[in-house]
Amino acid sequence: MTDHVEIPTRMLVHALIREDGTVSADELYTVAATLGMSDQQVRLCVKRLVAESRFTHEGRGRKAVLHATEDTTQALAPNADFLRHAFRQDAGLAPWDGVWHLAAFAVPESARTARDALRETLVHLGGAPLQGGLYVCANAWEPYVEDAAHRLGAHGALTLLSTTDLRRGDTREPAELARRLWPLQEIADRYHHLSRIAQPRLDRLTGSAGLSPSELLTIAVELAAELTRAMEPDPLLPPQLLPQPWPGTQARELIARCWAALRERDDGEARPTLFRLYADITREAADRATR
């Protein structure tokens, strides 16, 4: 298989959390070995996660079971809203209304931690800095921004507004503004890489050769890891603001086909949460495409 996927041990543990919040140590060590990780590497990671109170540990060796704490389960749940929105955009079902959404904040130096966290959250939600404390997004992000500001105790310092007339210097054409505000080439390169990862795995999944449960899990974890790497910095700009054809559309189409193939090979065993979530979202996208 071409294009090795680099997966941090911690990400692997998180990816194998089942819907009941558990991780089987036997499954963890088996998939880790397939990915080239040593048992010692896995043991040290598990020890750190338990010390951080992210998991509790029951049993010994490969018969052990890890239990994710409630905070861990909530924090690691993939953001289904954003992935669903991306597929809707790809299908032409979420056209841009021409509205720019802005968020401004003025958090004092005494609350630097909250200020830095809010800044990081705005970028994670697809915002681009216009100037100090002022960020812009092409999607309606207000509920997510307000939720983050409340959690950080900075809601009183937050101002939200929207406009159809955004200019930066002499630039006001929306697609050109998008090109200047977001690193579109870097994001496109990530999606090209995702496609290179997905295609050979799709070939394996749709081929005639048998695949063991651990091999199927390994492919699922690799795809999830690379999809996360591609989508985390992606502001999910509407197609009207992006160069066409956009590689993100092709990459997600390949991912959807991979997950459909994984679903067809499902033998009814309990699967990690991400397996069910991604399978459900890609099934929804496929259903829309056939209507």
Side-chain angles (χ1 to χ4, degrees):
M1 185 183 295
T2 59
D3 286 303
H4 172 70
V5 177
E6 199 65 46
I7 299 177
T9 316
R10 180 174 296 233
M11 179 182 287
L12 172 61
V13 178
H14 293 162
L16 293 181
I17 297 174
R18 297 186 181 276
E19 292 186 72
D20 63 0
T22 65
V23 177
S24 160
D26 183 57
E27 192 168 78
L28 173 60
Y29 283 108
T30 300
V31 176
T34 305
L35 293 168
M37 299 177 186
S38 68
D39 285 2
Q40 177 68 3
Q41 185 179 348
V42 175
R43 280 194 294 270
L44 289 173
C45 180
V46 169
K47 186 176 181 180
R48 286 193 297 270
L49 289 168
V50 171
E52 294 169 11
S53 299
R54 297 183 182 275
F55 288 84
T56 59
H57 189 274
E58 177 186 348
R60 297 177 62 84
R62 286 181 173 263
K63 293 182 179 180
V65 175
L66 300 176
H67 296 267
T69 62
E70 185 177 352
D71 287 347
T72 298
T73 303
Q74 292 177 351
L76 296 172
N79 200 317
D81 289 350
F82 295 157
L83 187 55
R84 284 192 175 93
H85 183 66
F87 277 114
R88 283 179 55 80
Q89 287 181 324
D90 295 340
L93 299 176
W96 191 46
D97 58 5
V99 176
W100 298 100
H101 300 261
L102 295 100
F105 62 90
V107 180
E109 179 67 21
S110 58
R112 180 191 300 178
T113 300
R115 183 188 63 196
D116 292 347
L118 183 57
R119 183 184 298 120
E120 291 174 6
T121 299
L122 292 176
V123 173
H124 176 72
L125 290 173
L130 289 171
Q131 57 190 59
L134 179 62
Y135 289 74
V136 63
C137 181
N139 294 306
W141 64 347
E142 287 81 1
Y144 302 101
V145 173
E146 288 197 279
D147 179 64
H150 275 299
R151 283 189 288 102
L152 295 168
H155 190 258
L158 178 69
T159 299
L160 298 171
L161 62 150
S162 61
T163 182
T164 57
D165 181 19
L166 180 66
R167 286 171 284 176
R168 193 173 201 187
D170 294 327
T171 303
R172 63 188 309 166
E173 198 278 317
E176 179 61 20
L177 278 171
R179 189 184 70 80
R180 294 183 178 219
L181 289 169
W182 286 277
L184 297 186
Q185 187 57 57
E186 176 188 331
I187 295 166
D189 289 343
R190 287 174 180 257
Y191 279 120
H192 284 305
H193 181 70
L194 176 58
S195 290
R196 289 195 299 271
I197 292 295
Q199 186 61 62
R201 286 155 181 81
L202 177 62
D203 293 341
R204 288 186 71 199
L205 290 167
T206 55
S208 57
L211 292 170
S212 69
S214 64
E215 288 176 313
L216 291 173
L217 269 177
T218 299
I219 291 174
V221 170
E222 289 174 331
L223 292 172
E226 286 301 331
L227 179 63
T228 298
R229 286 194 182 100
M231 287 197 64
E232 274 190 345
D234 185 358
L236 298 182
L237 296 174
Q240 293 88 339
L241 302 182
L242 293 169
Q244 295 299 329
W246 179 241
T249 302
Q250 178 194 18
R252 283 187 290 266
E253 192 270 336
L254 278 173
I255 287 290
R257 291 169 62 191
C258 287
W259 243 268
L262 279 164
R263 190 170 65 244
E264 287 179 5
R265 287 180 177 258
D266 189 5
D267 57 8
E269 291 186 9
R271 293 296 185 193
T273 299
L274 69 86
F275 187 101
R276 179 194 58 76
L277 180 67
Y278 286 175
D280 287 350
I281 291 174
T282 52
R283 184 190 296 117
E284 292 168 11
D287 289 345
R288 285 195 298 268
T290 57
R291 287 173 189 169

